[in-house]
Amino acid sequence: MITGIGKFGGDVRGLFPAMALGFAAVFSAVAEARPPEIQTVSQWADAARQIAPESGSPHPGKWVTARAPYLQEPQDCCGIDHPARECYIAGSAQSGKSEILLNAAFHCVDTDPRSILVLTPSRDKALQWNREKWEPNAQVTEAIRLKTFAQKGRSAEDSTSLYKRFAGGFLKIVSAGTAKELQASTIGLVILEEPTDYPADADGRGDPIRQAYHRLDAYGADGKMIGASTTGEKGRCRITALVEAGALCRYYIPCPDCGHYQVLRIENFGLHGVREPVLGFVCPANGCLIEEHQRAGFLEHGVWLATFTAEDPDSNPAPPRHFAPDELERWTGRDREGRYPSFHFWQAYSPFASWEKIHKEYKEAQQNPDLLKTFYQQVLAEPYEPAHDRPKHELVFDTMKAPGILRLARVVRGEVPPWASLITGAADVQGDRIEWAAWAWGPRAIGARFDRGVIPIDPDDPMAWTELAKVSRYVYEGPTLKPVTFDRFGCDTGGHHTSQAYLACHRHNVLALKGKPKDPDAAPLERGKLVKVKDDSGRIIAKIPLWLVGTFHLKSRVYRGLNQAALSLDSGQILPGSLFLEPDLTEADARQITAEYLVEDVVGGQKVRRWERPKWQANEQLDLTVYNLAEAIAWGIDRLNLEGWNRWASSRAKDPALEGAGPLEALMRSPDVAAGDVPPGPAGLVEDASEIETPDRPRAVNERGAQSVFRKDGLQSLSRINKGTDT
């Protein structure tokens, strides 16, 4: 009890019974001053964020993450409190990607203030971002409005519009093309707004993204860079490169009917049904129809999964495109190998975009190539490439694995399909190995890769070329084809180990091939100059022709052929020009055969196209397919009519009872083939060859003047005498 204080000289508490206890007031104040509860970006946004009507959002007012559940994890990964130093998002228009960046910036200002740099493609875009994103939403979000200081400067445009001060830090909005603004400050959070449109160089000082990244150095591990954008052109798209370098997370949703998890893919989207077609996605697991009215439900139960390709895909495979519910734990626990979080989503997931509108734009883009670029970038959030017919590797893999393809095309490893009667082969020389592939060809330029392999010997070792010689003499047969060896076999000599390749081509009767990629008017296969062949001692022993392969248009033809195979599966009949692969192909094979994409450049005011591939992606199987196709075209697959094919096939028919029968008739009469498995007739074949042409492959005289042909078991089957240097 306190007594004798002041003029009262007695019991103060008696005079003021309502007076608080001093120690209680002190400790209550301390308790109330405890740090606020830590919130993720999505938690903070749900509690504090308001959406301004002036921002153009269809849902002004309180922010609700549950309206678009797929935005939660990307938001939280962009937070300044998340341990990842980087996070990037590739998203379509009207999908919420820009709001993620804005929420992350607001969260930083309110919970962990520091200097923030917003990098935009241009000064006009900087002003637009402030006018449409920051300013209206900061004014209606109380937590941000109260912490942002009013600014006065010589120019409203320079101070209040592009520079914001708030308690504990500042925000600068700058153009990616101005190095001076990028070099000026120490930054704690860098936000990349639409980095796809940034210039490649800022004032001669290099990549603006790299310059901005170094502004984080003073913050060390606490510095953070985040970004979001629609996509650009294939091979030059900054956001695609950033996202693919990360975990490349995709949003898997459960089928409302069967529960199988899957990624929504445009290939599965469309109208289904005959009498009353219904718009939706076909579940690839069980054929269920997923409709738009079910979107809110499956989005709520969706999950982000890392789909990047690991350095060792066998030990750390990516999740498949669909899987059963009991496998979910396996894929959510996948090792991300230290990659930063990155995300990809497109308009089909967005509650702000109708599927009917997407379908309408999809159909219009299919009919008008000029609309494809916008559809790819703004709707699919995929980088656009001029070769828009390039199939996705997933489509190729799924098509060739489908049981219907085996029944339709009858491609079996090591066996010539019953509809084919011409075989070609090609080898691609790498630094430490030689890869090869065998293709079979039939009417209407239909082809199939039916065998392939790798010679795992360094080409500096003569044994590698001995093994290649054995491969070039392999003998194959089929249900209707007697044992034959390659009609043409070539080897790429334009890359590694050229001298050894020339020597092997000379000795083993193999075409010396070299790609001619820059000439769009080049023939598929044409004879070039004679090249000198030197023996192991360096002595010139012969000259052989170099055969030039016009790869530019052949790559597009390969892609069309793979697409035709997919359409053949859908239609139930083999379409002209279809290219099939053996059913035991791997996903890596599918990636290789679709590895390259077209890039457009403007040189001297003219548009120039060239093929490129990602540096990390191998493309040997695409090259081998192009070489085989070139050999087949030069042989005459585009010139022979059905009568010519029938005579060619009958000349090498296996069964005398099939003599005179064409390849399609022979297939129909083959006792082990059901009628339903027979490919269609020869409709559409060009009728411009009245007589059969059976050109032999160009030959080079070897030292012995004869060529032995061996089966795979090493038994000699036949020999041929070389009669000239070439045809």
Side-chain angles (χ1 to χ4, degrees):
M1 181 70 63
I2 301 175
T3 60
I5 297 178
K7 64 180 181 180
F8 297 103
D11 186 357
V12 176
R13 188 163 300 283
L15 295 173
F16 303 100
M19 185 174 66
L21 293 174
F23 69 87
V26 170
F27 285 108
S28 296
V30 171
E32 291 177 1
R34 68 183 185 275
E37 180 182 355
I38 297 176
Q39 293 178 311
T40 64
V41 175
S42 60
Q43 291 171 339
W44 180 92
D46 284 339
R49 169 74 196 279
Q50 293 290 320
I51 305 172
E54 298 86 350
S55 66
S57 171
H59 300 285
K62 183 177 174 58
W63 172 273
V64 181
T65 299
R67 187 177 286 124
Y70 62 89
L71 296 180
Q72 179 174 336
E73 186 171 334
Q75 279 187 99
D76 294 343
C77 290
C78 284
I80 205 71
D81 57 335
H82 191 277
R85 201 165 193 258
E86 298 175 69
C87 181
Y88 305 105
I89 301 160
S92 61
Q94 300 179 16
S95 61
K97 65 182 185 305
S98 296
E99 297 299 320
I100 291 176
L101 301 185
L102 190 60
N103 284 351
F106 283 171
H107 174 263
C108 175
V109 171
D110 193 36
T111 65
D112 187 9
R114 60 179 64 188
S115 51
I116 303 174
L117 179 70
V118 179
L119 201 60
T120 63
S122 65
R123 184 174 178 80
D124 288 342
K125 291 293 184 181
L127 293 169
Q128 181 182 356
W129 191 84
N130 172 69
R131 184 173 60 250
E132 297 179 3
K133 296 294 182 183
W134 178 273
E135 197 64 37
N137 290 291
Q139 288 298 317
V140 298
T141 302
E142 184 178 14
I144 305 303
R145 185 180 73 251
L146 295 178
K147 291 192 174 184
T148 305
F149 301 155
Q151 297 294 308
K152 294 182 179 180
R154 291 173 297 175
S155 167
E157 187 176 83
D158 290 334
S159 57
T160 60
S161 294
L162 301 181
Y163 184 85
K164 315 287 180 182
R165 286 185 58 218
F166 50 81
F170 63 84
L171 177 139
K172 286 203 313 181
I173 314 170
V174 303
S175 166
T178 307
K180 183 178 180 181
E181 294 179 319
L182 294 174
Q183 301 283 332
S185 305
T186 296
I187 301 297
L189 172 64
V190 173
I191 298 176
L192 307 180
E193 173 70 14
E194 295 294 335
T196 293
D197 297 329
Y198 291 175
D201 180 88
D203 290 341
R205 296 194 178 187
D207 182 8
I209 295 180
R210 182 54 50 187
Q211 291 185 55
Y213 189 79
H214 283 299
R215 296 297 93 207
L216 300 170
D217 290 348
Y219 273 80
D222 290 334
K224 185 144 191 169
M225 177 179 279
I226 61 177
S229 179
T230 51
T231 53
E233 279 200 5
K234 184 76 175 179
R236 300 179 180 181
C237 179
R238 289 178 176 272
I239 196 64
T240 298
L242 291 169
V243 168
E244 290 182 348
L248 187 53
C249 298
R250 300 185 188 276
Y251 203 62
Y252 280 70
I253 59 99
C255 173
D257 291 332
C258 69
H260 276 67
Y261 282 85
Q262 60 202 272
V263 176
L264 295 180
R265 299 167 58 195
I266 191 66
E267 292 86 358
N268 299 332
F269 182 59
L271 289 169
H272 303 279
V274 179
R275 293 185 177 180
E276 296 182 5
V278 179
L279 183 63
F281 289 85
V282 172
C283 170
N286 294 300
C288 317
L289 184 61
I290 304 174
E291 299 181 54
E292 185 172 10
H293 68 82
Q294 300 170 308
R295 180 162 53 183
F298 66 65
L299 285 181
E300 182 181 356
H301 297 94
V303 59
W304 284 103
L305 297 179
T307 66
F308 69 93
T309 301
E311 293 185 7
D312 183 1
D314 293 331
S315 63
N316 187 19
R321 284 168 291 285
H322 62 85
F323 55 83
D326 58 4
E327 298 181 49
L328 180 60
E329 185 176 353
R330 172 191 178 186
W331 299 117
T332 54
R334 184 192 182 198
D335 180 11
R336 296 196 178 186
E337 301 182 353
R339 290 172 176 250
Y340 56 73
S342 62
F343 303 87
H344 177 277
F345 49 83
W346 63 291
Q347 272 191 8
Y349 292 95
S350 173
F352 317 121
S354 75
W355 285 5
E356 183 178 354
K357 178 175 178 291
I358 294 173
H359 183 255
K360 179 182 178 182
E361 293 181 3
Y362 182 39
K363 289 300 181 183
E364 290 174 348
Q366 287 180 314
Q367 298 172 4
N368 184 354
D370 293 337
L371 301 177
L372 274 174
K373 184 173 185 177
T374 300
F375 186 78
Y376 265 71
Q377 296 172 348
Q378 300 295 321
V379 178
L380 297 180
E382 296 284 356
Y384 171 78
E385 57 181 300
H388 53 78
D389 57 350
R390 182 175 75 110
K392 293 184 177 181
H393 77 273
E394 297 96 338
L395 175 65
V396 173
F397 183 76
D398 291 346
T399 297
M400 304 309 168
K401 288 290 187 179
I405 280 290
L406 181 59
R407 294 192 298 268
L408 185 67
R410 298 187 60 80
V411 180
V412 179
R413 182 71 174 267
E415 181 180 288
V416 179
W419 45 264
S421 52
L422 170 76
I423 61 174
T424 63
D428 187 43
V429 183
Q430 297 297 309
D432 59 351
R433 68 194 184 282
I434 301 176
E435 299 197 21
W436 61 272
W439 279 75
W441 306 91
R444 300 182 299 163
I446 299 169
R449 189 183 71 185
F450 67 96
D451 205 4
R452 71 187 190 282
V454 178
I455 300 172
I457 305 174
D458 192 308
D460 280 331
D461 187 337
M463 281 300 299
W465 302 101
T466 301
E467 292 300 315
L468 180 61
K470 293 179 181 179
V471 171
S472 71
R473 299 164 184 164
Y474 279 174
V475 172
Y476 295 97
E477 58 184 312
T480 62
L481 186 70
K482 65 184 179 183
V484 295
T485 188
F486 290 103
D487 295 287
R488 295 246 173 127
F489 194 97
C491 177
D492 177 31
T493 63
H496 303 276
H497 307 281
T498 299
S499 297
Q500 295 97 319
Y502 285 160
L503 182 60
C505 290
H506 166 64
R507 286 179 173 174
H508 305 301
N509 197 30
V510 171
L511 293 177
L513 304 176
K514 182 178 180 180
K516 195 176 181 182
K518 296 183 179 181
D519 184 1
D521 298 321
L525 187 68
E526 61 181 348
R527 179 169 172 163
K529 64 181 181 180
L530 294 175
V531 294
K532 299 175 182 178
V533 179
K534 299 180 181 180
D535 61 16
D536 296 335
S537 66
R539 180 173 59 92
I540 298 175
I541 58 174
K543 291 184 178 181
I544 60 173
L546 186 64
W547 294 89
L548 303 177
V549 180
T551 62
F552 190 90
H553 288 302
L554 289 180
K555 290 175 181 177
S556 291
R557 178 161 171 172
V558 168
Y559 290 162
R560 287 196 298 272
L562 296 172
N563 279 321
Q564 285 288 82
L567 294 173
S568 296
L569 177 62
D570 293 337
S571 65
Q573 59 179 356
I574 299 181
L575 301 177
S578 296
L579 298 181
F580 300 97
L581 305 173
E582 69 279 22
D584 65 342
L585 87 160
T586 66
E587 193 159 358
D589 290 326
R591 288 181 182 274
Q592 283 197 24
I593 206 168
T594 58
E596 298 190 24
Y597 49 85
L598 270 179
V599 172
E600 290 184 348
D601 279 323
V602 177
V603 179
Q606 294 186 341
K607 186 179 293 185
V608 178
R609 291 181 171 186
R610 69 176 188 280
W611 289 96
E612 287 190 359
R613 67 176 175 87
K615 294 182 180 179
W616 49 266
Q617 176 60 63
N619 66 340
E620 287 85 353
Q621 287 303 323
L622 175 58
D623 287 343
L624 288 170
T625 304
V626 166
Y627 296 150
N628 276 279
L629 180 57
E631 293 169 4
I633 293 173
W635 183 91
I637 62 170
D638 290 342
R639 299 193 305 270
L640 280 186
N641 57 15
L642 180 60
E643 181 184 357
W645 273 110
N646 284 342
R647 280 188 277 178
W648 170 252
S650 65
S651 70
R652 42 178 53 190
K654 173 184 287 187
D655 188 342
L658 297 177
E659 290 285 352
L664 304 183
E665 295 171 297
L667 175 57
M668 295 172 65
R669 292 167 56 183
S670 180
D672 62 340
V673 179
D677 294 332
V678 180
L685 194 70
V686 178
E687 303 282 346
D688 63 353
S690 58
E691 295 185 3
I692 183 172
E693 297 182 34
T694 58
D696 291 328
R697 55 179 170 159
R699 303 182 178 279
V701 177
N702 60 30
E703 295 173 350
R704 297 164 55 187
Q707 175 193 19
S708 296
V709 182
F710 293 84
R711 295 180 183 272
K712 293 182 181 179
D713 57 9
L715 300 177
Q716 184 173 355
S717 59
L718 59 100
S719 64
R720 293 182 178 181
I721 303 298
N722 296 324
K723 298 182 179 180
T725 57
D726 55 70
T727 51

